[in-house]
């Protein structure tokens, strides 16, 4: 399987898809999947730009709206996570993941899906210690404070990902795992980005949450963005253990290293996005303690108890495998779009709780 990995999209879908087409033509290859590591900027209309945490002078519609409206269709299946420059109102509507546009899938604030037999996980947002232990209390319309805190990673979402036991092939995060520079050529990095030196030496460059997940999940590949530069590393897990190939990429600009083609061994296609049984089970298990206020949630469930429940739910779903293989591509233009697609599939009552949390 040939996968194109892109750093920060910043709404330039047209440019990235044009680059992929050029690579396919010049190399005579077919790209099976595009992965974007955040700052995707799924801006549908001018109203969405009010939820974009950038100075007003930098707010632009860019090109996502064409794919959302159907004027254009993504030429390659696309999976993305969120960063710190997003239309947060739209991504909140897709908290559990879902189709942001035809052929463009958002992994959610945390999520795991399958593409063919490749298992892909991701965590949206960036780490901020002040907000990490809070609940998801922000609601649109955001104010000057919440428009910046809404994209900060929460412990609840990381805790859910920490319950994953089955192997992950690829993991996406926007900011880098804390300490990842120890496993690559950090001196060369500092030569290009001198202002990273103090953070690297102080051990503060990167996300503690991402580092925790890297240690637990040990994926074969980990892709990131955020710092607008290319950086590669090899993480050896324990002595003689598995290895994670880490790669961070730049933002979409001429002459920058924003796109990389990766060959990953997989079953033959055709490929499609599918729900992941284990992740659905974890989502259902932890939904009852989903923290929707500023107060820290009480979700410290014993991992063994969680695993027993997850195994039981998985066994039931495996008997209904067609429901998981034939992925429900639920996508509708709605204003505001209440597209809790995964919740609809699971039949989780919290869809009503989330609906009522909106300030209509």
């Amino acid at each position: 399987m040939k996968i194109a990995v892109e750093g920060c999209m910043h709404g330039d879908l047209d440019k990235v898809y044009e680059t992929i087409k050029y690579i396919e033509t010049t190399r005579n290859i077919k790209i099976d999947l595009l992965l974007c590591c955040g700052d995707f900027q799924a801006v549908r209309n001018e109203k969405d730009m009010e939820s974009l945490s950038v100075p007003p002078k930098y707010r632009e519609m860019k090109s996502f709206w064409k794919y959302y409206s159907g004027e254009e269709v993504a030429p390659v299946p696309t999976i993305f996570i969120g960063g710190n420059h997003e239309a947060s109102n739209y991504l909140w509507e897709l908290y559990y993941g879902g189709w942001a546009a035809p052929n463009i899938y958002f992994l959610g604030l945390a999520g795991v899906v399958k593409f063919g037999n490749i298992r892909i996980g991701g965590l949206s947002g960036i780490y901020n210690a002040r907000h990490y232990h809070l609940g998801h209390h922000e609601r649109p319309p955001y104010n000057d404070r919440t428009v910046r805190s809404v994209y900060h990673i929460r412990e609840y979402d990381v805790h859910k990902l920490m319950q994953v036991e089955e192997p992950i092939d690829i993991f996406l995060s926007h900011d880098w795992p804390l300490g990842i520079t120890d496993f690559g050529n950090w001196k060369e990095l500092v030569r290009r980005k001198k202002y990273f030196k103090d953070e690297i030496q102080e051990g503060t460059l990167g996300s503690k949450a991402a580092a925790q997940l890297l240690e637990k999940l040990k994926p074969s590949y980990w892709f990131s963005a955020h710092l607008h530069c290319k950086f590669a590393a090899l993480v050896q897990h324990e002595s003689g253990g598995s290895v994670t190939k880490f790669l961070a990429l730049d933002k979409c600009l001429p002459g920058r290293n924003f796109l990389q083609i990766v060959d990953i061994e997989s079953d033959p296609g055709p490929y499609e996005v599918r729900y992941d049984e284990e992740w659905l089970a974890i989502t259902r298990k932890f939904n009852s303690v989903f923290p929707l206020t500023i107060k820290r949630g009480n979700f410290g469930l014993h991992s063994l108890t969680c695993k027993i429940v997850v195994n039981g739910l998985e066994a039931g779903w495996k008997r209904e495998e067609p429901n998981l293989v034939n992925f429900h591509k639920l996508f509708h233009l709605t204003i505001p779009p209440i597209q809790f697609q995964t919740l609809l599939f699971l039949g989780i009552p919290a869809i009503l709780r989330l609906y009522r949390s909106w300030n209509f």
Side-chain angles (χ1 to χ4, degrees):
M1 183 186 299
K2 294 189 182 298
I3 299 177
V5 184
E6 199 271 335
C8 296
M9 180 76 78
H10 288 293
D12 288 321
L13 281 72
D14 285 349
K15 294 178 182 178
V16 171
Y17 290 137
E18 288 169 6
T19 303
I20 289 176
K21 183 178 180 180
Y22 174 80
I23 292 172
E24 288 181 326
T25 301
T26 55
R27 299 187 189 178
N28 194 27
I29 61 173
K30 179 70 175 70
I31 304 299
D32 299 298
L33 175 67
L34 169 65
L35 299 177
C36 178
C37 302
D39 284 357
F40 190 81
Q41 294 184 202
V43 176
R44 301 163 294 178
N45 49 51
E46 291 185 0
K47 187 69 175 177
D48 282 352
M49 286 194 283
E50 295 176 8
S51 297
L52 197 62
S53 182
V54 299
K57 66 178 180 180
Y58 294 119
R59 290 175 180 170
E60 299 180 66
M61 283 290 292
K62 294 297 183 74
S63 55
F64 173 78
W65 67 270
K66 294 189 289 186
Y67 298 86
Y68 177 79
S69 68
E71 181 176 321
E72 300 283 351
V73 177
V76 57
T78 301
I79 297 174
F80 74 98
I81 59 168
N84 57 308
H85 298 300
E86 303 291 356
S88 296
N89 61 324
Y90 188 27
L91 297 194
W92 172 246
E93 294 159 12
L94 296 172
Y95 169 84
Y96 288 90
W99 297 99
N103 217 27
I104 299 176
Y105 188 82
F106 174 51
L107 262 180
L109 270 68
V112 180
V113 296
K114 294 175 182 175
F115 187 74
N117 68 320
I118 300 298
R119 201 161 182 241
I120 302 169
L123 178 68
S124 293
I126 61 172
Y127 180 79
N128 183 296
R130 292 177 300 165
H131 301 134
Y132 182 62
H133 298 294
L134 304 182
H136 288 286
H137 63 93
E138 299 89 351
R139 299 290 183 274
Y142 305 114
N143 58 36
D144 291 342
R145 176 177 53 83
T146 58
V147 77
R148 293 190 298 274
S149 67
V150 66
Y151 54 75
H152 289 156
I153 292 166
R154 303 301 156 91
E155 182 183 19
Y156 171 75
D157 303 300
V158 175
H159 189 75
K160 285 167 61 181
L161 286 166
M162 289 291 289
Q163 308 308 312
V164 173
E165 297 290 342
E166 297 178 8
I168 294 285
D169 299 296
I170 298 171
F171 197 87
L172 309 177
S173 68
H174 188 57
D175 46 0
W176 304 8
L178 181 68
I180 194 66
T181 51
D182 294 341
F183 299 92
N185 190 345
W186 67 268
K187 292 182 179 179
E188 170 60 20
L189 175 64
V190 168
R191 188 187 68 79
R192 292 181 285 121
K193 301 281 188 176
K194 293 181 173 59
Y195 48 90
F196 287 173
K197 184 175 181 179
D198 289 344
E199 289 183 83
I200 291 174
Q201 292 180 338
E202 294 167 3
T204 58
L205 183 70
S207 164
K208 289 184 179 179
Q212 183 183 12
L213 288 168
L214 175 60
E215 182 179 3
K216 169 63 167 62
L217 300 177
K218 301 177 177 62
S220 300
Y221 295 86
W222 187 297
F223 301 123
S224 297
H226 190 46
L227 297 182
H228 294 172
C229 63
K230 185 176 182 178
F231 180 76
L234 286 176
V235 181
Q236 177 79 55
H237 299 287
E238 297 93 26
S239 178
S242 62
V243 174
T244 295
K245 297 178 181 179
F246 173 84
L247 179 65
L249 291 166
D250 209 330
K251 61 181 176 180
C252 179
L253 283 175
R256 306 285 275 270
N257 293 311
F258 67 89
L259 196 69
Q260 182 87 18
I261 308 301
V262 179
D263 281 304
I264 296 182
E265 185 175 345
S266 69
D267 291 342
Y271 309 111
E272 62 180 354
V273 180
R274 296 185 295 146
Y275 284 124
D276 181 85
E277 299 95 326
E278 185 184 31
W279 182 249
L280 288 176
I282 291 169
T283 295
R284 192 164 191 170
K285 173 63 180 175
F286 282 91
N287 183 72
S288 62
V289 290
F290 185 12
L292 285 170
T293 67
I294 198 168
K295 184 179 178 181
R296 179 178 182 176
N298 180 21
F299 48 85
L301 302 177
H302 193 279
S303 59
L304 179 60
T305 302
C306 180
K307 187 59 183 173
I308 292 172
V309 174
V310 168
N311 285 340
L313 290 172
E314 279 189 90
W317 274 316
K318 286 182 185 298
R319 289 193 295 268
E320 300 176 1
E321 184 69 14
N323 289 332
L324 297 167
V325 174
N326 298 323
F327 192 88
H328 295 282
K329 296 188 177 181
L330 301 172
F331 175 77
H332 303 284
L333 293 174
T334 53
I335 302 175
I338 304 299
Q339 294 186 44
F340 301 115
Q341 298 161 17
T342 302
L343 280 178
L344 289 169
F345 180 76
L346 289 174
I348 293 178
I351 187 169
L352 296 176
R353 295 174 59 212
L354 279 172
Y355 183 85
R356 290 166 183 161
S357 74
W358 283 79
N359 292 324
F360 289 128

